[in-house]
Amino acid sequence: MRARSFFAREAGAALVLRPSPTPPRAAVVLLHGGREEGLEPPPALNLPGARMLPFARSIARATAEHRVALGSVRYRHRGWNGERDDAAEDAQRALDELVALHGPVPVVLVGHSMGGRAALRAAAAPQVQAVVGLAPWCPEAEPVAHLAGKRVVLLHGERDRITAPGDSRRLTERARQAGADACTLLLPDGEHAMVRRAAAWHSLTTRVVSGLLGLAPLPPVVADALSSATDATAAVPAPGALHQA
């Protein structure tokens, strides 16, 4: 299914929302990856955006009977662009548009790479209850104080050479110190594009989102990591167990 048929686009809007016949009780907003620098708009054939479509479909199936709005953020620029924080600004615009449409419903943000960083920043919005970061970009000085009272689950492949798994670990440790419920899951053999064992990435992410929304139990490995008082990081047991973890 192509992006245009899955989400309804409105010219100039930051929020690209899947049509729903009923008012939502909660929302999930997806944020795709991008570049460190780039003032040009994302291209029409946007591979980072396309990579999030299987996640969108999987989450849509899991939440279909629960009045959960599903949307994505449309970026004005391809890059983060230093102190401009363009992707974070677009994420906040999308959240503002969601409030205007449906009120302050609880939101879970799901972001990959640069989109993970934007999701973490946008979690300052009061309606955001949780963030799921997929191979997120977590610079050393990324702020975490605003994550107090939020739930943060970062999923990172151990073989990622674009964003560092260790940066995710350190961010969740700092987020915990700031008052967040946070953990990092390390996926064996996982890489940045999430192509290797893609179905496992989709399934685990969907189960985490469903758990954070209260629609189903969290996967045990996530629940244990969030509740651990000693270690914010857990390894998914084995490559073949990613689906069941």
Side-chain angles (χ1 to χ4, degrees):
M1 188 179 299
R2 299 182 62 183
R4 288 181 181 175
S5 61
F6 195 85
F7 291 113
R9 298 173 181 268
E10 182 177 336
L15 180 66
V16 184
L17 199 61
R18 190 182 189 204
S20 174
T22 57
R25 294 179 177 174
V28 178
V29 178
L30 306 174
L31 302 94
H32 65 73
R35 297 181 174 181
E36 186 170 353
E37 302 289 340
L39 292 174
E40 71 278 10
L45 179 59
N46 184 19
L47 294 180
R51 182 63 192 90
M52 296 303 289
L53 283 175
F55 291 94
R57 296 188 191 107
S58 181
I59 292 168
R61 288 192 296 269
T63 61
E65 305 301 321
H66 298 282
R67 291 177 55 189
V68 175
L70 181 61
S72 65
V73 175
R74 179 166 51 189
Y75 303 138
R76 291 169 295 179
H77 306 284
R78 201 170 187 178
W80 184 270
N81 300 316
E83 294 183 358
R84 288 172 55 112
D85 306 337
D86 283 318
E89 291 292 327
D90 289 334
Q92 183 57 61
R93 287 198 306 126
L95 290 172
D96 291 343
E97 292 169 12
L98 181 63
V99 171
L101 286 169
H102 296 301
V105 296
V107 177
V108 175
L109 299 176
V110 181
H112 174 229
S113 194
M114 181 188 77
R117 185 180 184 185
L120 288 164
R121 285 285 185 94
Q127 70 268 35
V128 176
Q129 296 192 347
V131 173
V132 180
L134 310 175
W137 176 22
C138 301
E140 182 178 353
E142 190 65 17
V144 296
H146 65 284
L147 298 174
K150 314 280 183 174
R151 290 190 288 177
V152 177
V153 179
L154 305 184
L155 312 180
H156 219 126
E158 291 183 333
R159 295 189 178 185
D160 196 326
R161 298 295 181 266
I162 306 299
T163 57
D167 290 346
S168 285
R169 296 182 63 174
R170 285 183 284 275
L171 185 136
T172 54
E173 290 165 357
R174 293 193 297 114
R176 280 189 168 203
Q177 294 171 3
D181 291 329
C183 69
T184 293
L185 293 187
L186 299 177
L187 281 68
D189 294 336
E191 34 65 68
H192 191 72
M194 307 177 295
V195 173
R196 182 189 293 267
R197 298 187 177 87
W201 280 91
H202 305 155
S203 175
L204 185 56
T205 299
T206 299
R207 293 181 62 197
V208 171
V209 169
S210 295
L212 292 171
L213 288 170
L215 307 180
L218 281 167
V221 66
V222 179
D224 291 346
L226 287 174
S227 63
S228 172
T230 58
D231 193 351
T233 302
V236 176
L242 289 180
H243 245 87
Q244 294 81 29

